[in-house]
Amino acid sequence: MCVKEIFRLGKGYVFPRPVRCLHKGCGSSRIWGHGFVLRYLDGYAAPLWFRRWRCPDCGCVYTIRHADYWPRHHAPIQTVVAGLSHRITHGFWDQTLELTRQRQGHWMRALRSNIKTWLGMDASGDLIKGLHKLIFLLRVPVVRLV
């Protein structure tokens, strides 16, 4: 999917239909279109229309989003990782990303919590290594669990 094309075409963009339900344990092939939902992404002044899908067997409703974005995040993965890496390496936030320190601090607190939860490591350890290990394990390292 091309985010620029989604922005340009809006609801006219042809979203790929999932072959099977993405919910764990379901896998039904009966996926229905379930309308559209507005999502905000960094770099776009207006929200973008994304297609929603529904599985009639398990009732799961989900939105397929671009692979460059983690669920529940407006910034691309590359931006999040760059901001965290800069903070960990240099000790201060990267001003060139044009993101608030509060937002980046939210990511850092979530990263520390997830490293402790999923890897059992002390949060004062190697945060860069923990960040990349969580990504390798297909975990969103900056999602807030609580």
Side-chain angles (χ1 to χ4, degrees), residues 2 5 10 12 15 24 30-31 33 36-37 39 55 64 76 80 83 96-97 102 108 117 121 130 136 138 146:
C2 177
E5 284 296 302
F15 288 87
K24 288 185 179 179
R30 299 184 329 136
I31 305 297
F36 291 87
V37 65
R39 296 284 187 238
C55 174
I64 304 297
V80 175
T96 62
L97 294 178
Q102 292 86 352
M108 182 63 76
T117 301
M121 296 168 49
F136 177 76
L138 301 179
V146 179

Side-chain angles (χ1 to χ4, degrees), residues 123-144:
S124 63
D126 189 357
L127 294 175
I128 294 284
K129 186 177 179 181
L131 171 66
H132 292 291
K133 178 77 172 174
L134 287 170
I135 292 170
F136 177 76
L137 295 173
L138 301 179
R139 295 270 178 206
V140 179
V142 293
V143 70
R144 295 303 287 256

Side-chain angles (χ1 to χ4, degrees), residues 8-40:
R8 189 174 67 80
L9 296 174
K11 290 182 181 179
Y13 183 83
V14 180
F15 288 87
R17 181 184 175 276
V19 178
R20 299 204 169 281
C21 178
L22 303 175
H23 191 261
K24 288 185 179 179
C26 180
S28 172
S29 60
R30 299 184 329 136
I31 305 297
W32 299 345
H34 194 58
F36 291 87
V37 65
L38 286 170
R39 296 284 187 238
Y40 289 90

Side-chain angles (χ1 to χ4, degrees), residues 39-41 62-77 80 106-107 138-144:
R39 296 284 187 238
Y40 289 90
L41 297 179
Y62 45 90
T63 304
I64 304 297
R65 66 170 48 224
H66 195 275
D68 288 346
Y69 293 84
W70 278 318
R72 299 183 181 103
H73 287 81
H74 301 248
I77 294 169
V80 175
H106 173 79
W107 295 338
L138 301 179
R139 295 270 178 206
V140 179
V142 293
V143 70
R144 295 303 287 256

Side-chain angles (χ1 to χ4, degrees), residues 68-124:
D68 288 346
Y69 293 84
W70 278 318
R72 299 183 181 103
H73 287 81
H74 301 248
I77 294 169
Q78 183 178 1
T79 302
V80 175
V81 172
L84 289 171
S85 298
H86 188 276
R87 173 69 164 102
I88 294 166
T89 306
H90 297 92
F92 56 90
W93 297 112
D94 187 356
Q95 300 297 318
T96 62
L97 294 178
E98 298 179 4
L99 299 170
T100 63
R101 68 171 174 75
Q102 292 86 352
R103 187 173 181 193
Q104 294 179 76
H106 173 79
W107 295 338
M108 182 63 76
R109 286 186 298 279
L111 173 64
R112 289 179 190 272
S113 175
N114 286 322
I115 287 174
K116 188 175 183 180
T117 301
W118 296 108
L119 303 178
M121 296 168 49
D122 183 10
S124 63

